[in-house]
Amino acid sequence: MDRRTYLGLVGVAAVSGCLDAPTASDPSGNDTSTDEETTSPPPQSIQHESVVTGLEIPWGAAWRDGDLYLTERLGRIVRIPDGEGDPEELLTVEDVVQDGEGGLLGLVFHPEESAAYTYQTYSGGEYEFTNRIVRHDLENGWEWEPILDGIPGDVIHDGGRLAVYEDSLLATVGDANGRDRAQDTDSLNGKVLRLTFDGEPHPDNPFDNEVFTYGHRNPQGLAFRDGEIFSTEHGPDENDEVNVLEAGNNYGWPEVGGTESTDEYTGAITEYTPTIAPASATFYDGPYREWQGEFFFGTLAGEHLRRLRIDGTEIVEDEPLYEGEFGRLRTVFTGPNDHLYAVTSNLDGRGEPRDGDDRVIRFFPETEE
């Protein structure tokens, strides 16, 4: 079996404000060497601070017109004006499931219209737990209607990440504790879906339905770079993955996992055993020079921020940062200021809450004089 070549990696979004004193660290080191004929920029250290606190299991995050919007898994959508201050409640969805891993999950804005999309696990549908993708009318109090409903759900493996890519809406859907569904291209479970903004199957999809790729267990992150689509995915007790998605490809679950590739199955570009539960994905191009161009994701079981450095098509560094410092990290994203942000998920029943949890953390450089 061949090991897949390594490719580059992704992008998403984030928050601001200041609630506690920033602390400094320099997890990746700095090159302070100078050239006699040039003036080097001053060295930097990376800081972090909590900018929003008192949240309840934040999941999706997106910016619009300078404001940060978050979903909370128990059913609320909140706004943080200008990315700072206290959250303002915009909407509560009453029928979302409040058990396990489901609930009010992914969030993304339409690129041109006054609309947003969320991914929801709810009770009272065709199944005991059902997933749906809904469209919100922002000019009418976030009123919403489903554009894709009836996706089988469960207390585990509901996926839930939404992202806009070119002229389409992408959604990750877990196998909903039904592993064999992942290999069935007529099922929506264990897939990455590609839809039009009206919720119809994208006309370029490979199977004449909503399915874009298949053979996934529980994909949790989506991001993009140089025309490539990247996804992070939870394995069972081994083989968490970072994948490069191509239309129609089979990523192996439950038949194979990790970086194994065959004529039938596409292997991951990297894998993690023991599992760390990668929960998001983004590329960083912000002001901290040591991180520019690098790929980040939060980890739940691993309780750290993960940094990958890519050289061409090869991963040359793969480093955990801030191990145990914040607890469970879910969504990692960047904001209008290009700083890196992360939300904690310590109130989800699997973590140990810290003061201020759940919260949003901002990472930013401090220039040393």
Side-chain angles (χ1 to χ4, degrees):
M1 297 182 182
D2 297 327
R3 185 181 182 92
R4 282 200 66 190
T5 56
Y6 289 96
L7 301 173
L9 300 151
V10 310
V12 214
V15 63
S16 136
C18 183
L19 298 178
D20 57 6
T23 57
S25 60
D26 193 1
S28 59
N30 292 295
D31 182 1
T32 59
S33 60
T34 59
D35 190 304
E36 293 181 357
E37 298 181 0
T38 62
T39 301
S40 297
Q44 297 174 299
S45 61
I46 190 69
Q47 315 287 306
H48 63 80
E49 61 183 350
S50 296
V51 292
V52 180
T53 61
L55 298 167
E56 294 185 89
I57 320 176
W59 213 100
W63 286 85
R64 186 173 189 268
D65 296 334
D67 295 338
L68 175 67
Y69 295 78
L70 301 168
T71 62
E72 295 176 314
R73 216 190 67 197
L74 301 186
R76 284 203 315 169
I77 298 174
V78 300
R79 175 178 60 204
I80 296 90
D82 300 321
E84 56 186 51
D86 296 328
E88 299 177 357
E89 181 175 337
L90 299 176
L91 177 71
T92 295
V93 183
E94 299 293 345
D95 64 345
V96 298
V97 172
Q98 299 187 17
D99 298 321
E101 299 173 359
L104 183 53
L105 304 178
L107 167 68
V108 71
F109 287 103
H110 192 290
E112 298 175 352
E113 300 177 10
S114 184
Y117 301 88
T118 59
Y119 187 106
Q120 305 173 3
T121 311
Y122 70 101
S123 58
E126 182 177 353
Y127 310 95
E128 181 180 3
F129 302 118
T130 305
N131 291 307
R132 65 192 174 205
I133 300 171
V134 310
R135 178 182 169 116
H136 298 264
D137 184 347
L138 305 186
E139 296 181 353
N140 289 287
W142 282 71
E143 287 185 0
W144 57 271
E145 61 177 354
I147 60 170
L148 180 62
D149 205 343
I151 304 169
D154 199 79
V155 294
I156 59 174
H157 303 177
D158 288 292
R161 191 66 62 187
L162 297 177
V164 168
Y165 178 69
E166 296 181 343
D167 62 344
S168 64
L169 177 66
L170 297 183
T172 69
V173 181
D175 67 11
N177 205 25
R179 52 193 290 154
D180 292 339
R181 299 171 184 164
Q183 289 295 313
D184 180 1
T185 57
D186 291 326
S187 169
L188 299 183
N189 290 108
K191 310 296 190 299
V192 174
L193 310 181
R194 181 169 60 173
L195 311 174
T196 69
F197 293 120
D198 294 324
E200 298 297 321
H202 193 279
D204 295 333
N205 282 354
F207 305 110
D208 296 322
N209 61 6
E210 295 87 352
V211 174
F212 180 64
T213 59
Y214 67 112
H216 300 288
R217 182 175 181 268
N218 193 22
Q220 292 276 291
L222 284 172
F224 321 101
R225 173 151 290 189
D226 297 331
E228 301 283 5
I229 304 172
F230 301 86
S231 176
T232 57
E233 181 169 335
H234 293 188
D237 56 356
E238 61 182 0
N239 295 334
D240 286 341
E241 298 176 351
V242 177
N243 287 300
V244 179
L245 303 183
E246 298 181 25
N249 282 17
N250 181 351
Y251 290 82
W253 175 255
E255 304 302 324
V256 299
T259 56
E260 288 189 65
S261 290
T262 69
D263 291 341
E264 184 176 1
Y265 305 119
T266 302
I269 62 170
T270 193
E271 64 184 66
Y272 300 95
T273 300
T275 54
I276 57 177
S280 51
T282 191
F283 264 116
Y284 177 83
D285 290 304
Y288 183 50
R289 293 186 296 273
E290 295 295 325
W291 285 357
Q292 286 177 359
E294 299 185 357
F295 175 60
F296 290 85
F297 56 85
T299 68
L300 298 169
E303 296 194 355
H304 63 259
L305 177 68
R306 198 81 183 193
R307 178 188 70 89
L308 277 67
R309 177 174 293 175
I310 310 299
D311 181 6
T313 59
E314 182 182 1
I315 298 175
V316 295
E317 288 187 37
D318 188 341
E319 179 186 17
L321 305 176
Y322 305 103
E323 291 185 273
E325 186 165 347
F326 310 117
R328 294 164 63 82
L329 291 180
R330 170 83 59 185
T331 302
V332 173
F333 50 104
T334 58
N337 52 19
D338 291 327
H339 292 311
L340 190 70
Y341 297 80
V343 301
T344 66
S345 190
N346 291 322
L347 298 178
D348 62 4
R350 298 178 178 179
E352 297 181 4
R354 290 136 165 91
D355 289 343
D357 278 340
D358 275 325
R359 54 195 168 127
V360 181
I361 303 159
R362 179 172 71 103
F363 300 88
F364 62 100
E366 180 176 81
T367 301
E368 300 172 2
E369 300 295 338

